[in-house]
Amino acid sequence: MYWATHNKPVPLSEIGWVNTSYLGSTSRSCDPMMVWGTSVDIEEMDSFLEEHRNQHSTFVTPAHILIRAVTESLCQHPEVNRRVIGRKVYQYKGVNIAMPMLQTSTGEVDCVFMQNVEELSISEVANYLWEAVREKATKVAQDKKRAKESSWLNNRLIHMGRNLRLSWILRMCRLGFTLGNWTRCPSIWPWQRGLNHAGAFVNYLGFSGAPPLISYKPSSLPMNSCNIAVTMGPTEPRPVVIDDQVVIRKQASLFVRMDHRMVNGNQAAAFISTLRSYLSEPHTLIEIKEVNTLQRAA
């Protein structure tokens, strides 16, 4: 059991009158979310990934870099690393991230929860996610094997149990979200973490076959704890202007959804600028991690 946030709320003087107005007046009929769509130059990412793979045994992808970039950006902008509980705003103790992962064999999407990601390097983030993929793939394979070897009655009971769990989610999730988002509750069960204790939802949609992202609104569960969602689309060559010359560069769409109850437009812009700089210069993430490690050792 642990508490994801500090026990005292953030003073309203730190939030400001605009955010306080949203915090005090929003209801289910009002959407306090703002979405900022932009693009990021990732010309250096391929060379960084190749260099990193040559130096380390872990296979690193743009999704892992995105997680590290979001983490460092949240560390530099702690006013974004918060969550709303009732009519108050609480600061997270660390950076907690949820990332959706597709099970290709079943088509189901599971969210992987990562706690205190600021303590992990890019390789450690990649190892964590690859291990989660292996565990889920192994479980799916075991379930298929068990279904093939079991009797019809046993498979029927398993199917009924799954339907009962989904029915329970349908009927009880509203109550669970209400308790988790109007009262400061500790994390006790694993299923709580991704729903009520993840400050950021990071989504990488640059998989093979994905179309270019021109417009995208990251969705949110009605009372989820993820008050910021970052989505990056696939890489594509685009014309950009550099030194008054039109050149072709590798670009990716970037969409950030933030909760206006705790973040204003200027704060959102500052966070996104930091995030774009890390994604366009991923080698700085290695340098920052080394500095942080030395500081903790000292």
Side-chain angles (χ1 to χ4, degrees):
M1 183 179 72
Y2 75 95
W3 299 87
T5 62
H6 293 282
N7 58 349
K8 293 184 178 180
V10 178
L12 294 178
S13 58
E14 293 186 19
I15 299 175
W17 73 269
V18 173
N19 295 341
T20 301
S21 299
Y22 274 94
L23 182 64
S25 61
T26 51
S27 62
R28 291 182 182 178
S29 60
C30 176
D31 183 5
M33 300 298 174
M34 54 182 174
V35 180
W36 195 305
T38 183
S39 61
V40 58
D41 189 307
I42 55 173
E43 193 74 26
E44 297 184 14
M45 187 171 292
D46 288 342
S47 59
F48 172 80
L49 289 173
E50 183 178 358
E51 180 182 352
H52 191 277
R53 291 164 184 169
N54 291 334
Q55 296 177 355
H56 302 80
S57 58
T58 304
F59 186 80
V60 173
T61 70
H64 306 139
I65 295 178
L66 179 61
I67 289 178
R68 280 296 308 150
V70 171
T71 300
E72 291 299 336
S73 300
L74 289 173
C75 290
Q76 289 201 25
H77 302 275
E79 67 277 3
V80 182
N81 191 31
R82 295 169 175 172
R83 67 162 300 185
V84 176
I85 301 178
R87 300 294 186 184
K88 298 178 181 179
V89 176
Y90 289 82
Q91 188 77 44
Y92 276 103
K93 294 180 180 179
V95 177
N96 300 337
I97 288 178
M99 187 173 205
M101 301 187 70
L102 175 67
Q103 295 182 17
T104 55
S105 58
T106 63
E108 292 269 359
V109 175
D110 290 324
C111 281
V112 177
F113 174 80
M114 305 182 69
Q115 182 183 354
N116 295 333
V117 193
E118 72 277 5
E119 300 177 358
L120 304 178
S121 65
I122 292 179
S123 295
E124 290 170 334
V125 167
N127 285 329
Y128 189 99
L129 290 175
W130 287 129
E131 184 61 30
V133 170
R134 282 192 289 268
E135 288 181 0
K136 293 182 184 299
T138 300
K139 185 178 183 303
V140 170
Q142 291 174 345
D143 290 342
K144 287 185 175 181
K145 182 180 179 181
R146 182 170 57 249
K148 186 180 295 185
E149 295 176 351
S150 299
S151 63
W152 176 88
L153 179 59
N154 188 54
N155 288 334
R156 185 61 180 173
L157 291 175
I158 293 175
H159 181 71
M160 291 175 60
R162 184 174 185 271
N163 286 336
L164 287 174
R165 287 195 300 271
L166 292 175
S167 297
W168 180 85
I169 292 173
L170 179 65
R171 296 176 182 276
M172 300 299 295
C173 65
R174 176 180 294 183
L175 175 61
F177 280 132
T178 301
L179 292 175
N181 289 276
W182 282 88
T183 60
R184 184 174 173 268
C185 301
S187 179
I188 302 175
W189 299 283
W191 57 265
Q192 279 183 281
R193 300 178 299 176
L195 295 175
N196 288 109
H197 294 96
F201 184 84
V202 179
N203 196 10
Y204 178 68
L205 297 180
F207 52 86
S208 177
L213 282 176
I214 298 176
S215 177
Y216 184 80
K217 186 181 186 300
S219 61
S220 173
L221 288 169
M223 300 186 70
N224 205 356
S225 66
C226 300
N227 290 318
I228 174 175
V230 178
T231 302
M232 190 167 77
T235 303
E236 58 177 338
R238 297 177 184 172
V240 296
V241 178
I242 299 179
D243 297 330
D244 296 330
Q245 299 291 326
V246 178
V247 297
I248 302 300
R249 302 276 293 185
K250 293 179 180 179
Q251 304 280 303
S253 298
L254 187 69
F255 296 90
V256 181
R257 171 183 57 79
M258 292 187 179
D259 195 331
H260 210 333
R261 293 175 295 177
M262 64 178 194
V263 180
N264 58 40
N266 291 331
Q267 294 168 330
F271 171 83
I272 295 170
S273 294
T274 301
L275 177 59
R276 293 177 77 234
S277 67
Y278 283 137
L279 291 173
S280 60
E281 300 176 2
H283 62 274
T284 57
L285 295 170
I286 300 293
E287 298 170 0
I288 290 175
K289 181 59 183 176
E290 292 175 349
V291 171
N292 293 340
T293 301
L294 291 175
Q295 289 177 347
R296 283 198 297 268

